[in-house]
Amino acid sequence: MYRVNEIFYSLQGEGLYTGTPMVFVRLAGCNRRCTFCDTEFETFAEMSADEIVAEADKYAITRVVVTGGEPLLQLDDNLVNVLHKHGYSLHLETNGTLSVPDGVDHVVCSPKDENIAIQPEKVDEVKIVYTGQPVEYLNRLRDYFRFTELFYLQPCSGKNINETVHTVLSMKGWRLSLQTHLLIGIK
């Protein structure tokens, strides 16, 4: 059984797949307590992998995003295999503090500090919620995640857009990611 905070259908609002319809499976719980977190992920209903798939099957799409909190506290081979068996491409949004099970199709890592345990070769995108982190830190992340070319800085809750834009323009290899779902008023 998985502790599921919510399952909803929307557009991906961030990164490479911005604008792509997806089913989001938000798993409850997190191993971090970021001061800027805007996600309520402590309430949940227990669901089996088959029940999760039944919810996803209500929509005519083939991509499922497993997010949280920190989804790797719960995501396991069983859920990965069941989603694949039903024809879903599995996207993961993680803080990078835990290892990724095999079979995840697209991994977005959003590290909050240098406490990183994720295998760098499994990461497709790196997204930093920008709160003024030093250039040296951002450069160390680029070195660590050397297997990807997709590095995004995202304003923290849309409050520091100008500072984030300036930082993206001043650094090699970073892109701006806005939370477009919030800009257009959807979940």
Side-chain angles (χ1 to χ4, degrees):
M1 297 299 280
Y2 301 91
R3 294 175 322 234
V4 178
N5 173 265
E6 64 179 332
I7 298 176
F8 62 96
Y9 179 59
S10 190
L11 299 176
Q12 175 58 274
E14 304 166 358
L16 179 65
Y17 286 91
T18 296
T20 304
M22 298 189 183
V23 170
F24 291 79
V25 176
R26 184 176 311 283
L27 298 179
C30 190
N31 59 351
R32 303 298 308 263
R33 291 294 182 256
C34 300
T35 58
F36 56 81
C37 185
D38 61 357
T39 303
E40 195 291 306
F41 50 79
E42 292 301 324
T43 60
F44 61 87
E46 290 193 350
M47 297 177 74
S48 69
D50 289 331
E51 290 170 323
I52 292 170
V53 167
E55 284 297 311
D57 282 346
K58 293 178 179 178
Y59 309 99
I61 53 89
T62 59
R63 295 183 194 279
V64 169
V65 178
V66 179
T67 188
E70 176 46 55
L72 289 176
L73 292 170
Q74 297 187 66
L75 183 65
D76 59 10
D77 292 334
N78 177 59
L79 184 54
V80 170
N81 292 334
V82 169
L83 287 165
H84 281 156
K85 185 176 96 176
H86 288 271
Y88 289 102
S89 173
L90 176 58
H91 294 228
L92 171 69
E93 296 176 350
T94 176
N95 65 29
T97 57
L98 301 166
S99 296
V100 177
D102 289 335
V104 176
D105 299 297
H106 190 83
V107 177
V108 177
C109 181
S110 183
K112 308 306 187 250
D113 55 30
E114 297 196 39
N115 181 24
I116 301 170
I118 196 169
Q119 309 92 314
E121 66 275 7
K122 288 193 171 187
V123 173
D124 299 292
E125 299 178 50
V126 176
K127 178 192 74 179
I128 303 300
V129 175
Y130 188 64
T131 58
Q133 294 89 331
V135 169
E136 298 80 20
Y137 168 73
L138 298 174
N139 285 334
R140 282 193 303 275
L141 287 177
R142 279 192 50 81
D143 290 343
Y144 183 78
F145 292 108
R146 62 193 173 279
F147 298 102
T148 185
E149 294 182 10
L150 299 173
F151 292 88
Y152 297 96
L153 284 185
Q154 179 174 292
C156 183
S157 302
K159 295 177 183 168
N160 59 339
I161 293 172
N162 290 338
E163 179 186 4
T164 307
V165 167
H166 173 74
T167 304
V168 168
L169 289 172
S170 69
M171 295 188 64
K172 180 181 178 184
W174 289 86
R175 302 172 187 201
L176 178 68
S177 178
L178 299 174
Q179 294 176 294
T180 57
H181 55 293
L182 298 180
L183 294 173
I184 62 175
I186 62 173
K187 189 173 210 171

